[in-house]
Structures are given as C-alpha cells and as structure tokens.
Amino acid sequence: MIEQFKEWEKNRHEYAKQWKENTRGKVMGYFCTYVPEELLYAAGVLPVRILGSHEPQDVTEPHIFAMFCPFCRDCLAQGLKNRYTYLDGLMIAQSCLHIRQAYTSWIKHRPVEFEKFLCMPHKVQSPHAYEFLTEEYKVFKKEVENWTGKEITDKALDDAINVYNENRRLMKKLYDLRKRDNPPLTGEEVMEVVIANQMTDKAEHNKELKKLITTLEKHTPEREVGSRLMILGSEDDDTVFMNMVEKCGATFVVDDHCTGSRYFWNEVKPGKDRLSSLAARYVDRIPCPSKDWEERKRIPHILQMCKDWRVNGVIIMQQKFCDPHELDFVAIKKALEDAGYPTLFLEFDVTVPVGQFKIRVEAFLEMIGEEDLF
Amino acid sequence: MEQQAKYKTEKLKCWDEAKQIRMKYYQDYAEAHERGGIRWAGGAWTFDAIPAGLGDDVYPITSEPYSATVAFDKEFSLQCLEATEKKGYPRDLCSYMRNYWGSIITNKFAFGYKDGQFTPRFAGAKPLGFPKPDFIWQDHICCSHAKWYQTVSDLEGGIPMFTVDNAVGPANELTDSKIKYVVEQLKDGIKFLEKVTGRDYNDELLFKAIRNHFVSTSKWAEICEQNKAIPAPLDEKTIYSLYVLGTLQKAGKQVAYFYEKVLLPEVKERVKKGIAAVPNERFRVMSDTQPPWSFLSIFRYLETFGCISVGSLYTFGLIGQWEVKKDGTWGAKTIPDVEFSSRDQALYEYVKYELHKPEWQHFYSCHLKSDMMIRIAREWKLNGVMLHYNRGCEGLTVGIAENRLALLDAGFPVMAFEGNNADEREFDEARTKAKINAFMETLGAR
Amino acid sequence: MITMGIDLGAKNVKVVILKDNKIVAKSNVLAGFEVKENAQKAIDIALKQAGISKDDLDKVVSTGAGEKLAPFYDETKSIVGCDSLGAVYLHPAARSVIDVGAEEGRGMRCDNTGKIIDFEVNEKCAAGAGAFTEAMSRALEVSLEELGPLALKSTQDIPMNAQCTVFAESEVVTMVHNKVSKADMSKAIHDAMASRISSMIRKIGFDKDVVLVGGVAKNIGFVTSLNKDLGLEVVVPKDPEYVGALGAALAAAGWKGGA
C-alpha cells in the first residue's frame, strides 16, 4: 500500500534528480520545518528536507564539535559526502543552534547558487511575531524572485498554498484513520509517508495520498494491535526502531515529531494578505520546543492527542544532546504521568542499535500491558 | 622554565573597588526586600535598562555570572549539579543553568553572612536560602535562554516571566522592521512590569539607565582596546574579574562610572608607563568561550612559558560594543549623540545600538565570528589561539570547529581543548596541561 | 653523544638509548602499579643491552602520560613532539603521524624537523584506543593477538553503530545473537575504531605520508581498516611502540632532522 512512499523515501536523491530533469526547475535543500515551503513551491522550486542517512560517519569532526546532536552531524555528512550535489539552493529557518551548524558548514564547504538563513522569530507567542515574519518573507520572496528570474504571482502563491493545505488535510485524515480500534497502518508505515512528504512534489504526494486513504478506508489489517503508543520528541526518522517496537506487540497510533505530525498539523488560513497568512501559519503552528515559551503550549496539545487517539503509553525519543527537547521532556513526562499515561524515555543517536532498546521496550510494554493480564 | 622578567609589573590599583562593586551587587539583591525594594532575575544579556525604570530600589541578579560564582565553589557546585540531575534534568545541558537550578533546588545561595559580614559561602559564610525573584526579565538568542527561566518558574512554583526575543539576525542585515520587533516587545515588557509590580514606570530613569548602558559597553571596549599594546596591561585572568561587572548590571551607574572614570584611566596609565600584566611576556594568545571557572590556574601555567592570554572575543565582545574605525581597525563604539525625547525613541536607540553586540553575531553564522577572531588575532598581535571546546555552553561553542579551521587558514596556530565552564567533572587538568606543553612547543616557547 | 628517551605510557614503559643518533638499545616493560620501579627496570635492561652505565648518559628526556614518574631525567617533552620527531627520523617524508596507544589516540602534523604544526588528541574515549580492542577481544572470546588477523577473513561489512566501548560490547552481544561470524565482528570492531581515528585525523588534515606508531600499529586488522578509511597506505615502522621513546632520545640529542 505504501510502496510508492517507501520508494520515494529510499530513493530521495534519484527522485529529486528526476524531478529536475523533467521540470528544468531548481531544487532547494532545507533544514528544519520552519521553512515556508509554499513560497518556494510557488516559485517552481522543489523544496527537499535534508535528513541523515543513519550510517556511522567520520567526516564531520573537523566541522561540528561532538557535543552537538548526532542528527545535525549526520545531515552535514550527507553534504560533505556529496550526496546532494544536485541542490541549487540551501536554506534554513531560525530554529535550534545545532542544526544551524549543518547549514553554516555546508554553505562554506559545498557552496550552492542560493543560500538563505531566514530569520524565523523565536518568540512565536509574541503578538509582534506575525508582522516581523511577514516583513522577513517580503525580503525572502524578492530574493527568490531574483534567483529564479521570475515573479511569484498571487495566483502561484494561492495555488501553492492550496496544494500544501490539501496535503495537510489529507495527512490529518490519514492520522484520523489511526484512531480506529484496529489502525489500518502501522507507525512505521505512516513515518514512511510523512518522510516522503518532506522530499517530494506535494501535488504528486497528494495524488498518492488520496489513493492510499481510499484503500485504507476499507482495510482491516490482520496484525495484532497490542498497546496503543504515542511517540514524541526530537527529530526522528528511525523506521528501524519503529519496526522493532511494533513487532513487540504494540502499534504507534500518533506522534509529536517534526518528522511527523508537527510538520503538517496546521493549515494556512486565508487572511488580509497572502504573506501575512503564511506567516501566521508558521507562527501559530505546533511549536518546536526551542520556540515553545514562555508558556509550554505543546503540553495540552500532546495530552489532547493522547486522549483522542486513546493512547496506552508514550515513548519519549530524546536525540542525544538535543537541548531544546531536553529542556521540555521533564515537564512533558510529568504532565503525561499526572494524566495517567506511562512513559518510556529513550535517548537515541542516529545510529543506536535496536538490540539495546528492545529489552527496554519489551519491559515497558509488559508493564503497561499488565492490567490486561490480571 | 620560568622566564626572565622583561617588563615591570604592578597590581591593579582599582582591584579592590571592583571586588566591592560585585559583593555589594549580590548583597543588594539579597537584602532588597528588607528595604522595600524589588528584585528580579534574568540573563547577563537581558535589556536591564528596562526594569531600571521601576525605581532606584530595583535589584537584579544575572544568571550566568551567578552560576560562575557557584562553579568557582567546587563543593557547592557539585551539590547543585547533582541536585539537578536527581530531578531528571540531563547532564549535558548548559552547566550554568544546572548550577543555577541546583542553587534553587537546594535552596542555598552562594552568599551569606559571616560575623555579620556579607560573604561568599566558600569564604566561610552560612549560605542564605535562595532569594526568590519577584519577576523574571530575560532575553532569548540562545536556545537555552527562555527555557532556562521557564524551568526556574516551574521550580519556584510560578514566577511572572517576560522574555524578549532578540534573535533578529546579524547586525550587518539590520532593518527597521527588525529593530521595531524588539522595541515592541520591550514596550509590552514595560506593561508587564507595571502590572506585576503595581508601580508606575518612570521614563527618566529609563533614559539614565540606557545612557549608563552606552557608557559601560563602549568604555569596556576601550579598556580592551588598550590590550593591543605590548606588553599587555591586562591579562585575561584579570579581565574576567573586571568584565564581570558588565555582566552583572551594564545599565547600572556604578558599573558605568567604574569603567569610565576608574578602570579606563588606570589601564591607559599602565600602557603609557609600560606596565605589564605578565612581566615575562614573550608570546601572546587569546582564548575563546568561558574558561573552566574552577581551573583558572591554566592561565598561570601559560605564564610560566612567557605566554599571556590577552583576552578573547568572549571578554571583549560579550559586554563591549565595537565598530570599525576610519583606519580599518576595531575600536570602541561611539556613544550615540542623541537626546532622549520619548520612550519609543529611547527604546529604538537602545535596541539599534545593542543589536550590534559582537557575541550575538555568531549565533547566525560562525563565519562572522571567525572574521572577528582573525581581526583580533591580527590587531592584538597574537602568536596563536586557544579554543575552549566548552561542553557547558552550546551558545558560545556553536560553530567553534569552523572557527578553528578559519584561524588555521589565516595562519594562526590553534590549540583546542575540551572542558566545561561550570561542571568541573568534565575538565581534565593534567591532559590540558599536557596539551599546553605541546602547544608551547609549536609556538616555540618551549 | 649518548642519550636516553623514556616513554611512560598508560600501559608500558619504553626506553631507547641512542649513541650518536643510532639506536643501541631498547626495552619495554609493563608499567603496572609500581610505575617508578618498573621504569627503573626498563632503564636497567636498556643500559645493560647498550653495555653502559647511567653515568655514561649525556642527557635523558622523559615523555608520555607519566613523564614525571621517571626515576631520573633532565627534561620532559610532550609525547606528540616526541612521536613526530621519532617518525620523521624513521621516515623522513613523514608529515602526518598517528599514534594509537593503550588509552589514547593522537594525531599530528609536523614539518621536516619533526616540529609539531598541529595536533589532536582523542580524549577520554576508549573507543579510539587500544583498550577498545582489549575489551572487544574479551567480548568475542579470542586473544588480542588473534583479533586483528581474524578481521582479514571477514566476508561482509557490518556497521558498528555504537561509538562507545560499553555500548559496543552490548552490540557485540546482539551480533552474537544474530549469528554474525567472529571474523565479520572483528572487522566491524576495527572499522569502528579506525573510523574514530580517521575522524580525529581529518580534523587536523593529512597528506600522503602518514606514519602510524604506537602499540596498536601492530594490529593488522586495525591497519587494514584505517587504510581503507583514509584511502591510502599508512607507513608502519618496525617496532612502532618505541617511536615515542625514540623521539625523546632524539630530543635529548638535539636532533632536528637530517642524517
């Protein structure tokens, strides 16, 4: 059912190269989901999210000190190993300091035609963030127009927003199907769909998504559901881990990851002008912990998800050295446990072997499954 | 190994005065309530001229220097770090933050009274309980800034908190919209302050505090500029004890006065008379990021080779404000020649000036920092650079590996050593000294 | 001129005696807990071998982690300085030197006189040092001597994910459960260790003449993995574990390159 998505995810580089050949368009690599892809899409640029490859690597030591998260180093390694030579541009929106280093090192050692650090505000809870970001977008829009040599028309922007919004609605529909007693897809499969979403043409993804949803609507899988789990935390595209857990008698029914629900959860709402509406979407979206202050707005959102998806337990995946998440998980863990959701905390690396985690996951599932046993 | 003295040296005359300013600062904070005053907490980079508009009896405590004080007290620091770990906070987080949280969790202040005298704990005082601030006034450019106080508020059972996002991009791309974003937040902040304290805000006090801020930061840069001289009038270990005043209360009049009227004239005098900080100065280096506070002895160790650290972008640019002068060199930023006529206008000038802080630029790009470091290496006539790969501070260590490559490219030998500014468990003194030995061989000092 | 170099490493004490810059004696003794006594033992062996007494020594330089524990010496010199001096003496074209000892990996770049230009030390991490292979040989239940040659018989690449000795041990356990052959595991172990070391070397940069010294240079499995990773053939001198002590003796003689 999800073969196409898997194929896109596994062969991401071939996909982008092929897209370039077919469309003669430009490809923009981006870090972090605060990049307003709609603007790029409207300019005929394909945005692809840079992710790691989960292999041990030894090329980033000269560039990023080892106290920063393995994910940012894994991403940079992809650039240094020349796996993204087809990129015409590279950009990042202001988020955490870790991933920023992948960007700054990359543009110096593997220069691209167009580079951009977009100053996404940190205080998304400030009423002034909207206007500030709108102004930043105005500048960015001009820069992209200069780069591609053509104007981004209102119509193109509307079309792009529509395609992206449709994608978000479809993704939410897909997630809604997981509320069933017997979710038609595993967490691993959904992860493949979301990751593929971050590196393909959204119009194409939408087409495939619609097909998938139609199929799933009447699909009841044979497998045992087991405990219903939520997974949340740092950037996480570790399908191998998901697979391992779901083979231990559990199903991931929902997540709060930037490589998951946080990516598509919020839509652009039409407003006074297009750029302000777009800015409002990125200011109001479910935040990355680096922007979730002074109030911790993610907590009620997570608790609501647990309730709506009838979760039995939560796995907190903490990327090693990821400070923003480390600054939230103590509060999140407490909130979850106070609300009666048991948690398992795992600190992972981009290359952590599943063997060590399996024992802990099994014990956790045994623990939360106890009520059913006695 | 001990080198012959080449220059005369003498102790800094204003040393004791600097120490007194610091001690009085902590005492004022601790005793504020007894005098009906207000106390608040925030980071060393916060816009501290703003709370000054609440009155003359408003006393801050800035988090980073306070935590460095805790770190200096090894025994107490360990208690704090362990208390924080016990609460479930990871060990690789900012070590200042963990010392600070630990001081709250253990409810022990790093100061107290000994024979009625306000004294640090390590000097024998019985520590006071941690004096809870009335409100939090923070800024945010490092990922840990706002989150630091979010947790403080959690630990203290809720303290009103306001944080200003000042991460609006590098100074060379500053626009009106970026400045206004920060100004508007400060205006919201003033409303917040009025609400939580129930006081009316006084713009005249604000104007004075901004003036103090201009003086402190510009004069501090001018003091550091004096260190271009050979022999250097100040060594970095001494600079730490002096720049710290700016991190405590850069908008405070006692700091502005001390920098402008006391310290700067004395340092200028030292240059004129050729008084050296290190009498056997033969090699000049700089460091980077906060030092491992409980191992400042490594600087003394350098001196045994005739090697002096004359400063760092960290000490020069964390408080100091700089500009490129007509001859192309770095000098103290000119104090804006403006009269303050309204709150909006004063805030605008304040923000426009402050967003040029050198230590804020590398948050956007390590390459901007490399350029500044190479500039310092050239203009301060350095033989090499020691980079502290500091596990305790992601904000200042971000991009440090690229800085290393850029400095090497520019022809400066670099020694990188790992450590932690405020968690001594992560610093290996013997290994670092062994590294220094080898580095001194590279420089030809051994 | 007769000089002596003493290298007090984390595991062994190595001594080299030079007469007019020619090696006349060398010895290697386990450091153990009684470092001073064992260092004396190593010195005595070397003196005997050279057929001289302590008084014949013109100058003695001590180096290594325990340099100050030598029973006597005139000067100390950093181990990275000694390594590069020794490497340039043995292989005059050497400009990059890697030293992998029991508890530390070091990399350096030097000039034609053996003077260090830049260096890096793999700190506080056993995964890039000899101790790692020791731990792994225990986990695989093969002797340390067999571990290296075993890797050459490997037929497939298995990435070792854990970058830390403790986790690597449990990963080996997982591999055992998955019935991975000992040869493949051994290769995985050496690849992981080589990756650590090449990561460190990349930080300082290297050119084609790379000399590998230290006890671990004798491990063929490690050398093969390192060569593959760096894309070149490292030069391993005869008796690589003595290079530090040799450099110390050369430093004592004031040697600065040339014949």
Side-chain angles (χ1 to χ4, degrees), chain C:
Chain C
M1 188 181 191
I2 300 177
T3 59
M4 181 164 82
I6 312 170
D7 173 7
L8 288 108
K11 211 179 155 201
N12 292 64
V13 183
K14 283 86 57 176
V15 173
V16 167
I17 297 175
L18 292 180
K19 190 172 177 193
D20 300 330
N21 294 342
K22 294 274 176 299
I23 301 173
V24 292
K26 54 183 196 296
S27 64
N28 186 348
V29 170
L30 269 179
F33 287 109
E34 307 297 333
V35 182
K36 232 174 186 148
E37 283 75 4
N38 290 321
Q40 187 61 53
K41 216 180 275 173
I43 291 167
D44 292 343
I45 296 169
L47 286 172
K48 199 172 160 204
Q49 214 181 82
I52 57 170
S53 79
K54 187 186 159 190
D55 297 340
D56 296 325
L57 295 169
D58 292 305
K59 199 169 175 186
V60 180
V61 168
S62 174
T63 188
E67 59 185 22
K68 297 262 160 66
L69 295 174
F72 58 88
Y73 59 90
D74 298 303
E75 271 173 29
T76 61
K77 185 176 170 69
S78 72
I79 183 68
V80 289
C82 292
D83 276 344
S84 44
L85 213 51
V88 170
Y89 173 87
L90 295 170
H91 185 75
R95 295 295 173 269
S96 308
V97 186
I98 303 173
D99 177 353
V100 185
E103 290 198 343
E104 208 173 74
R106 291 176 279 263
M108 48 234 114
R109 273 194 302 124
C110 60
D111 64 12
N112 60 349
T113 68
K115 193 183 149 192
I116 321 154
I117 296 168
D118 196 7
F119 66 98
E120 195 48 58
V121 180
N122 183 15
E123 284 173 298
K124 286 188 184 174
C125 172
F132 184 63
T133 45
E134 284 181 31
M136 291 302 106
S137 74
R138 282 196 302 273
L140 283 191
E141 296 175 338
V142 296
S143 76
L144 194 54
E145 290 69 33
E146 287 171 276
L147 190 69
L150 190 59
L152 304 184
K153 293 183 193 145
S154 160
T155 53
Q156 57 171 330
D157 282 346
I158 297 170
M160 179 112 159
N161 291 317
Q163 296 281 324
C164 136
T165 311
V166 179
F167 276 122
E169 276 203 71
S170 81
E171 201 171 340
V172 165
V173 173
T174 311
M175 286 193 218
V176 171
H177 290 162
N178 291 341
K179 309 237 178 326
V180 173
S181 80
K182 281 194 180 180
D184 289 340
M185 281 193 267
S186 169
K187 178 164 183 297
I189 288 161
H190 291 107
D191 283 349
M193 190 170 155
S195 168
R196 269 266 147 170
I197 295 296
S198 46
S199 178
M200 176 183 77
I201 297 306
R202 290 211 164 87
K203 199 165 153 188
I204 54 168
F206 58 92
D207 51 28
K208 62 181 191 344
D209 285 286
V210 181
V211 174
L212 176 67
V213 306
V216 181
K218 296 207 285 196
N219 177 333
I220 182 73
F222 171 71
V223 175
T224 309
S225 293
L226 186 67
N227 282 342
K228 194 175 155 228
D229 205 327
L230 294 178
L232 49 78
E233 294 265 317
V234 298
V235 176
V236 180
K238 189 171 164 274
D239 302 325
E241 69 272 38
Y242 287 100
V243 175
L246 169 64
L250 287 165
W255 186 83
K256 285 197 170 98

Side-chain angles (χ1 to χ4, degrees), chain A residues 58 75 95 101 215 236 266 318 354 364:
Chain A
D58 52 26
C75 285
S95 51
Q101 295 175 99
T215 318
D236 179 12
N266 305 72
Q318 170 65 50
V354 289
F364 177 65

Side-chain angles (χ1 to χ4, degrees), chain A residues 49 51 71 233-237 257-259 319 325 348 350:
Chain A
R49 182 168 182 190
L51 294 172
F71 173 64
S234 313
E235 183 284 335
D236 179 12
D237 56 340
H257 276 317
C258 65
T259 28
Q319 172 99 219
H325 282 276
F348 75 118
V350 289

Side-chain angles (χ1 to χ4, degrees), chain A residues 168-180 183-187 189-195 197 209 213 216 228 231 242 252-265 305 308-309:
Chain A
R168 289 165 181 143
R169 282 193 292 273
L170 290 168
M171 285 305 299
K172 263 193 154 165
K173 208 163 167 188
L174 181 73
Y175 268 52
D176 275 343
L177 293 174
R178 304 166 80 191
K179 287 179 181 165
R180 290 185 189 165
L185 278 187
T186 62
E189 289 167 323
V190 172
M191 189 178 260
E192 297 278 6
V193 176
V194 196
I195 298 170
N197 198 4
L209 253 183
I213 291 169
L216 292 179
R228 299 172 68 89
I231 183 162
M242 302 292 280
F252 287 107
V253 293
V254 73
D255 70 77
D256 178 64
H257 276 317
C258 65
T259 28
S261 69
R262 276 213 298 284
Y263 173 63
F264 62 79
W265 209 251
M305 276 185 152
D308 293 346
W309 272 263

Side-chain angles (χ1 to χ4, degrees), chain B residues 336-372:
Chain B
D337 182 22
V338 283
E339 283 300 315
F340 294 143
S341 51
S342 71
R343 184 186 292 180
D344 279 36
Q345 175 247 7
L347 292 177
Y348 192 91
E349 292 296 333
Y350 182 28
V351 171
K352 189 173 85 180
Y353 176 93
E354 191 62 355
L355 288 174
H356 285 83
K357 192 192 282 298
E359 278 284 90
W360 284 355
Q361 308 311 315
H362 72 265
F363 283 92
Y364 313 110
S365 165
C366 51
H367 310 308
L368 293 171
K369 180 174 168 188
S370 296
D371 293 345
M372 289 188 282

